[in-house]
Amino acid sequence: MERNNENKQYKAAIYIRLSKDDGDKPESNSVTNQRDLIRSYLKSKPEIEVCSERIDDGYSGVSFERPAIKELLADIKAGIIDCVVVKDLSRFGRNYIETGRYIEQVFPFLGVRFIAINDGFDSGTIKSQSDGIVIPFKNLINDAYSRDISMKVRSQIKVRHTRGEYIGAFPVYGYVRSKEDKHKLEIDEFAAMTVRDIFKWKTEGYSNQRIAQHLNAAGILSPLEYKRMLGWAFSTSFKLKPMAKWSAQSVGRILENEIYTGTMIQGKESAPNYKVKKKFKKPRSEWAIVENTHEPIITKEDFFLVSRILSADTRTAPMQQELYPFSGILKCSECHKSMIRRPVNSNGKTYIYYTCRTNKENKEKCKNSNRISEHQLLTGVKEVMKLHIGVISKSDDMINYIETLPMEHMQVKKLRQRIQKKREEYEYYQNLIMGLYEDYKKEILNKENYLTIKSVYETIIAEISDAIDVLERDVSEILQKKDMTNQWIKDYRKNKNITDLNRSILLSLVREIVVYDKNHIQIHFNYIDETIK
């Protein structure tokens, strides 16, 4: 049936889309090229008035979950426009089913005229059903083209994964892209210092939350803020609030990332196909793992030590942020489950005991009802630790060498570098405030906006100033100490003994401690085993 729309006036929206994911050629499908072609075409259509222009730059045509498409449909439903004009069908979409549904069902139902210029399609001038029969075939071709591009991209990504080339959008915190090869990583020494500190503090028994608090107190920029300070063009919305802080989660992500050992791990997630954007996690056996692709920040030994700590029981003491010395490594000899720490009050005193968790919950599953006092554990394990340290530290030459290491100098140098960075940040935000004032004077900003933004920057400056004070205090404390050698090594050299059981030493040497009864435990070292009776 012929349509008679010769006298109808249309209010049109120009729709433009560009996506490298679809294999678009920028020179022919650029936003400017599409806009010029459409507006030139519409000069011969006096019945069409352009009311809006919607652009999706960087969005694949496979999915219709695009911002500009949603805005366009909202305008149609609101009655603002009744005509959509695109350069060609592939600009509107590359999903055969969805594109066909809009052109053949949705738009006709809503009374919307649809024009695809290069495909010669105009729903307002179709005289019979046969005139539009070619459209489904063109949509099918566009869909097939998108599928072909997707397969080629996936294949290329797999090849790069196999080579150990980094293909992420932004380098992980602690690294930057190599200037010679963008797919290679190089250490960002300033951020790498923080990564090393995070791993060191974790082996010393600090919780993730305490590490985050320490970093925030020292004014160390979180990974997000560090990217922003470097000027990396990542997508985020500006909000008038203080800077993003370190959190237990952000610390955890660093501690769990094996990339810091020089091993490239990619391909942890995948989408079922090119039409489904939601990703699912793949098993480790399907990951792309290539060792020694870049310089490590952390040794493999330190990384796997921290992994052991993270996999252990990480409950902290009440009102404290350090872990209990035996958390996660004390096991029952019968069921091999973790022992739990229990305080017992007697005659006004508190005694600490460890008991089997399984036995306490279900005596049928574990009959080991024995308990052992924390004092006994500390005393017994300490004696064996003395022997173990004696085995691995026989020579006084090693101790002499350790004492000559320039630890004080290196730590002070690191802190002073951070102080310099904080001073640069301080000056940066001071300049922003001055620029705001100039904008206010030129009436670019009204008084309310000026005062609001100024307040945000002043809050950030105050936090930076506090951070500088903390860092300078740390420098003073280090310079006041005459000897930065680890206390346990000093004790060993003087007394051939250790006076305190440190969780860091314990975890670095001990794999697990098995409790048989209050007088019988077995210690499994990473290198040798000792039994205490």
Side-chain angles (χ1 to χ4, degrees):
M1 181 177 69
E2 183 176 352
R3 301 180 184 180
N4 186 10
N5 293 321
E6 294 180 0
N7 298 321
K8 180 176 174 60
Q9 293 296 310
Y10 292 92
K11 295 181 178 181
I14 293 174
Y15 179 73
I16 297 170
R17 186 184 65 80
L18 177 64
S19 170
K20 292 181 180 180
D21 290 345
D22 289 345
D24 291 346
K25 297 179 180 179
E27 64 273 13
S28 61
N29 283 323
S30 69
V31 171
T32 301
N33 178 283
Q34 293 182 57
R35 179 188 294 116
D36 291 346
L37 185 146
I38 293 172
R39 289 193 176 275
S40 176
Y41 172 82
L42 292 178
K43 288 180 181 179
S44 63
K45 302 289 182 180
E47 76 277 12
I48 299 176
E49 176 190 357
V50 176
C51 296
S52 63
E53 182 180 283
R54 301 298 185 186
I55 302 174
D56 278 320
D57 194 350
Y59 289 87
S60 171
V62 173
S63 171
F64 275 78
E65 292 296 316
R66 296 172 246 153
I69 280 287
K70 291 180 178 179
E71 293 169 356
L72 185 145
L73 293 174
D75 288 346
I76 291 174
K77 293 175 182 178
I80 298 174
I81 62 171
D82 57 4
C83 180
V84 176
V85 186
V86 297
K87 176 189 174 185
D88 54 48
L89 288 168
S90 69
R91 298 304 90 212
F92 183 65
R94 290 187 181 275
N95 185 315
Y96 164 65
I97 296 176
E98 280 296 294
T99 302
R101 187 173 71 86
Y102 275 101
I103 295 174
E104 297 175 12
Q105 298 178 28
V106 178
F107 287 163
F109 177 78
L110 296 175
V112 175
R113 181 178 178 181
F114 180 78
I115 301 174
I117 298 171
N118 285 353
D119 292 302
F121 179 79
D122 183 347
S123 64
T125 61
I126 292 178
K127 296 182 179 180
S128 65
Q129 187 175 359
S130 60
D131 290 344
I133 198 170
V134 73
I135 297 303
F137 289 100
K138 288 190 174 183
N139 288 335
L140 185 59
I141 291 171
N142 288 329
D143 193 312
Y145 177 76
S146 184
R147 181 173 62 253
D148 182 57
I149 290 294
S150 175
M151 292 174 64
K152 289 179 180 178
V153 169
R154 284 182 179 230
S155 176
Q156 188 63 30
I157 289 175
K158 186 175 182 179
V159 170
R160 291 190 180 278
H161 280 171
T162 304
R163 293 175 182 168
E165 298 180 3
Y166 186 76
I167 62 171
F170 300 101
V172 67
Y173 180 76
Y175 287 99
V176 293
R177 292 187 188 278
S178 168
K179 293 180 180 179
E180 288 74 27
D181 184 350
K182 67 178 182 179
H183 297 299
K184 298 293 182 183
L185 296 180
E186 293 180 349
I187 291 180
D188 176 352
E189 197 53 51
F190 185 79
M193 287 192 303
T194 302
V195 173
R196 295 187 188 104
D197 281 344
I198 289 173
F199 276 85
K200 179 175 75 71
W201 291 330
K202 192 63 184 178
T203 60
E204 291 173 356
Y206 293 172
S207 68
N208 290 10
Q209 185 60 40
R210 184 181 179 186
I211 293 173
Q213 290 172 351
H214 189 81
L215 291 169
N216 289 329
I220 307 301
L221 292 178
S222 66
L224 176 64
E225 293 298 337
Y226 190 67
K227 288 179 183 179
R228 184 176 286 126
M229 187 59 66
L230 291 177
W232 290 359
F234 62 97
S235 177
T236 184
S237 57
F238 176 76
K239 298 179 180 179
L240 293 177
K241 66 176 184 179
M243 296 185 294
K245 300 293 186 181
W246 285 92
S247 65
Q249 290 75 22
S250 57
V251 170
R253 282 193 290 270
I254 287 177
L255 293 172
E256 294 170 3
N257 198 336
E258 200 172 338
I259 197 171
Y260 294 117
T261 66
T263 298
M264 188 68 72
I265 299 181
Q266 299 179 104
K268 293 183 178 181
E269 296 180 336
S270 181
N273 55 59
Y274 71 104
K275 290 185 179 181
V276 180
K277 296 301 179 183
K278 186 176 181 180
K279 295 184 177 182
F280 63 90
K281 293 184 178 180
K282 295 160 55 177
R284 185 180 176 89
S285 60
E286 296 180 13
W287 295 356
I289 303 176
V290 184
E291 295 188 351
N292 304 318
T293 60
H294 53 278
E295 186 179 355
I297 295 176
I298 301 298
T299 66
K300 290 184 182 295
E301 291 76 14
D302 285 344
F303 178 80
F304 291 118
L305 170 60
V306 167
S307 296
R308 285 186 58 230
I309 296 172
L310 293 173
S311 64
D313 182 1
T314 55
R315 291 174 298 162
T316 58
M319 306 303 293
Q320 298 182 29
Q321 293 181 331
E322 291 85 3
L323 299 174
Y324 293 122
F326 298 107
S327 290
I329 62 172
L330 203 62
K331 307 290 183 180
C332 169
S333 62
E334 184 167 331
C335 66
H336 211 71
K337 301 294 184 181
S338 294
M339 306 283 282
I340 55 175
R341 189 177 187 269
R342 285 285 181 263
V344 176
N345 296 318
S346 177
N347 297 325
K349 293 184 179 180
T350 301
Y351 301 91
I352 304 299
Y353 292 91
Y354 284 89
T355 60
C356 175
R357 182 197 302 272
T358 307
N359 176 266
K360 187 173 181 63
E361 294 174 351
N362 189 335
K363 290 180 173 51
E364 294 298 323
K365 291 185 177 181
C366 180
K367 301 185 184 303
N368 186 359
S369 60
N370 294 305
R371 66 180 185 176
I372 185 169
S373 75
E374 188 172 68
H375 176 72
Q376 282 180 286
L377 274 173
L378 289 170
T379 302
V381 173
K382 191 188 301 180
E383 289 302 316
V384 178
M385 293 292 288
K386 295 175 189 177
L387 298 175
H388 192 72
I389 291 174
V391 171
I392 64 174
S393 310
K394 290 180 179 179
S395 175
D396 280 349
D397 292 339
M398 184 192 76
I399 306 300
N400 290 328
Y401 171 72
I402 290 175
E403 288 188 335
T404 62
L405 294 177
M407 296 178 67
E408 177 180 322
H409 171 72
M410 292 304 296
Q411 289 201 23
V412 170
K413 181 179 179 181
K414 178 174 65 176
L415 290 172
R416 283 177 173 163
Q417 286 178 331
R418 287 176 174 170
I419 290 172
Q420 180 59 33
K421 280 285 186 182
K422 300 312 294 181
R423 286 175 177 161
E424 291 174 4
E425 292 171 29
Y426 186 94
E427 184 177 351
Y428 171 77
Y429 283 102
Q430 287 282 22
N431 291 335
L432 285 181
I433 289 179
M434 293 176 61
L436 281 176
Y437 183 73
E438 293 297 324
D439 290 344
Y440 171 60
K441 283 297 184 182
K442 294 176 182 178
E443 298 184 350
I444 297 174
L445 289 174
N446 59 35
K447 185 175 181 180
E448 181 181 357
N449 288 338
Y450 165 69
L451 293 175
T452 301
I453 300 174
K454 180 172 177 287
S455 175
V456 172
Y457 289 154
E458 286 175 340
T459 301
I460 294 173
I461 287 172
E463 292 177 352
I464 293 173
S465 181
D466 291 341
I468 292 174
D469 291 341
V470 171
L471 291 169
E472 289 180 338
R473 186 166 64 248
D474 288 345
V475 170
S476 297
E477 290 176 357
I478 291 174
L479 294 177
Q480 288 172 3
K481 293 179 181 178
K482 295 180 180 180
D483 192 350
M484 292 299 295
T485 308
N486 289 332
Q487 186 61 45
W488 74 275
I489 294 180
K490 291 174 65 179
D491 289 340
Y492 168 73
R493 187 177 184 186
K494 290 178 181 178
N495 308 311
K496 303 295 182 183
N497 202 347
I498 56 171
T499 59
D500 192 21
L501 189 60
N502 181 285
R503 179 172 169 83
S504 176
I505 301 171
L506 186 65
L507 286 173
S508 65
L509 299 178
V510 175
R511 186 169 70 253
E512 68 178 11
I513 301 173
V514 180
V515 178
Y516 290 86
D517 54 52
K518 65 179 181 179
N519 296 316
H520 184 186
I521 69 174
Q522 189 175 57
I523 301 177
H524 295 276
F525 285 97
N526 291 326
Y527 307 103
I528 58 175
D529 286 345
E530 292 288 347
T531 301
I532 307 175
K533 292 187 179 179

